[in-house]
Amino acid sequence: MGVKGKLIASVEVKCGGHLVHDIFHTKTHHISSICPSKIQSFEIHQGETVKVGSVVNWKYNDDGKYKISKQVIEAIDPQTKTITWKLIGGDLLELYNSFTIITSCDHQWTTWTFVYEKKTEDIPEPLVLLGFVLNVTKDIEGHLLK
């Protein structure tokens, strides 16, 4: 059995958290054009939109290395502006037995929560990935403030 962990980080967004949530929920396909150096593509593999049960695929640039993340949308709460993404394939599952990403947005904040189980104790905490998603959030904020 691996080592379980949880990381939580929030970033202030001057454009309003509801707008960031809208990008992740209804305009997810725009993220690759908002921050093309970080996100190369977003595709829906199963389902028609980002809704519970949809299977999605992200191609992203992690420190100069192109990686893939395949996820199923486990939950969407429009009132709390929360989306839960569970990894079902991709590069992260080489290091982690399980990995869930939760995004939640409120008035001026976007919060990212990672819940994971490392395959071994030697696997690093996903701090680089946490910094990455915070930077993507700031790119989205900059786009929305234009």
Side-chain angles (χ1 to χ4, degrees), residues 65-133:
K65 297 175 187 158
Y66 291 101
K67 298 196 174 176
I68 294 173
S69 178
K70 188 174 187 178
Q71 305 163 353
V72 63
I73 310 294
E74 284 197 320
I76 298 174
D77 186 336
Q79 290 193 322
T80 62
K81 301 196 181 345
T82 301
I83 304 173
T84 303
W85 320 71
K86 181 179 179 181
L87 271 73
I88 58 172
D91 296 285
L92 282 173
L93 291 182
E94 293 174 10
L95 303 173
Y96 301 92
N97 290 325
S98 64
F99 205 103
T100 301
I101 300 169
I102 303 162
T103 58
S104 60
C105 305
D106 64 19
H107 302 289
Q108 296 301 117
W109 295 90
T110 295
T111 301
W112 291 87
T113 304
F114 294 169
V115 180
Y116 53 90
E117 181 181 340
K118 300 189 287 185
K119 289 191 175 187
T120 68
E121 289 184 29
D122 299 337
I123 302 295
E125 303 302 324
L127 294 171
V128 172
L129 181 62
L130 187 61
F132 176 85
V133 296

